[in-house]
Amino acid sequence: MENKETVLVTGGSGFIASYCIITLLNNGFKVKAAIRSLKKADLVKQMLKEGGIQSFENLSFAEADLENETSWEKAAEGCQYVIHTASPTPHTDAKTEDDFVIPAKNGVLFVLRAAQKAGVKRVVLTSAFGAVSYGTFKNTPYTEEDWTVINDTVAPYQRSKTISEKAAWDFIKNEGNGMELSVVNPTAVLGPVLSADYAHSLQVVKQMLNGEMKGCPKLITGFIDVRDVADLHFKAMTMPEANGQRFLAVAGEALSMLEVSAVLRKKLGSIAHKAPTKELPNWMIRLFAIFNPKLNMIVPHLGLVKRASSEKAKSLLGWQPRSVEEAIVAAAESLIKFNQI
């Protein structure tokens, strides 16, 4: 397939971005991968090779940073589409809302302004389920109509995703001048990693297999395979029906952490013998969190059931994700392959 249209993919060395690049190259598009430092270009190529890409003829790189607006103008030049995956990710050093919110919101606006200046047709923004389901409670599955209500219970990462996505929609409405926007809101992303440098969302599988997680916190959420997230981005970019729409990316029913562990034990046998077999009470997690700051990020979510529906993406775009079990097993097998277990 030949298609000489160029797509700027931001956060080009990231988990979701690398699979978006693979999908675009396999469908004949040219890709310009935006990365913070061009020193990472070889790592990106290595990951793409792991994902089956043989030729880099249609791949180029641009150096761009979420905190530097002018870098995005150069990056967007000559591009017809943008897939904006770059965003600050959760880390335990983040003490204030500003550590997440300011770079996330500014980054979105920098990219949108640069895209508009370059004459880009459509931007696809990677938001998150974190912009959909927090600060509220529903017995029924969350849909694209739902928005996180920002209050004291909402952690900085979810705040950043909510505020930056709303900023994107406001920009399109007030200053878009005809540029189109689609948004993808993934739940917890699993699936096969392409290198030993992988997304924070796979930590749970690694900790279960390594025996670091002695018991499961009471968390229930949706999961999705990264390959299906990339496919949904592609559909959101290319299909006319996707303009102006949000799409939740989730496969099947929400699972508890204990159910995830059970899938690993069932599918991987003795390799998963360290995976936990019991749930820990919420008070115990809260107590541990006093001494282990990493646990602070999950405390606000304890006991919450976060179900989501992907019906819109399926019916409007014909999207068909893999099963949750396949995403969990693929994540585990790839972590083993890269000697992370």
Side-chain angles (χ1 to χ4, degrees), residues 41-220:
D42 285 343
L43 169 67
V44 175
K45 286 183 178 178
Q46 192 181 318
M47 290 194 295
L48 299 180
K49 205 175 276 186
E50 181 68 32
I53 296 298
Q54 309 288 322
S55 164
F56 300 112
E57 181 189 349
N58 287 331
L59 176 68
S60 60
F61 291 92
E63 198 167 84
D65 192 293
L66 285 179
E67 295 175 27
N68 178 355
E69 181 160 16
T70 53
S71 66
W72 293 105
E73 290 183 8
K74 192 173 179 199
E77 281 174 9
C79 296
Q80 286 73 47
Y81 298 96
V82 174
I83 293 179
H84 181 39
T85 77
S87 185
T89 51
H91 56 87
T92 52
D93 301 331
K95 294 290 187 288
T96 69
E97 185 178 319
D98 290 354
D99 292 334
F100 286 109
V101 174
I102 290 175
K105 182 180 176 181
N106 285 351
V108 164
L109 293 175
F110 293 166
V111 169
L112 288 172
R113 285 186 202 125
Q116 189 189 67
K117 196 170 179 181
V120 163
K121 298 176 191 177
R122 183 181 292 181
V123 176
V124 179
L125 171 65
T126 312
S127 184
F129 189 49
V132 174
S133 67
Y134 289 86
T136 60
F137 177 73
K138 281 179 74 174
N139 285 317
T140 54
Y142 288 89
T143 73
E144 291 81 0
E145 299 301 312
D146 295 305
W147 279 91
T148 286
V149 176
I150 293 177
N151 58 34
D152 292 344
T153 69
V154 179
Y157 177 67
Q158 282 78 28
R159 282 175 185 249
S160 77
K161 284 298 190 181
T162 308
I163 290 167
S164 59
E165 187 189 335
K166 285 189 170 178
W169 288 117
D170 287 344
F171 178 90
I172 291 297
K173 181 183 172 185
N174 300 320
E175 306 169 56
N177 295 329
M179 188 170 71
E180 298 177 350
L181 177 67
S182 298
V183 174
V184 177
N185 300 77
T187 50
V189 182
L190 297 178
V193 302
L194 297 172
S195 77
D197 181 17
Y198 52 87
H200 67 273
S201 55
L202 280 92
Q203 283 292 340
V204 65
V205 175
K206 182 184 176 184
Q207 288 168 2
M208 285 178 175
L209 293 177
N210 279 343
E212 295 167 51
M213 192 185 289
K214 305 301 181 190
C216 294
K218 289 184 180 179
L219 298 174
I220 299 174

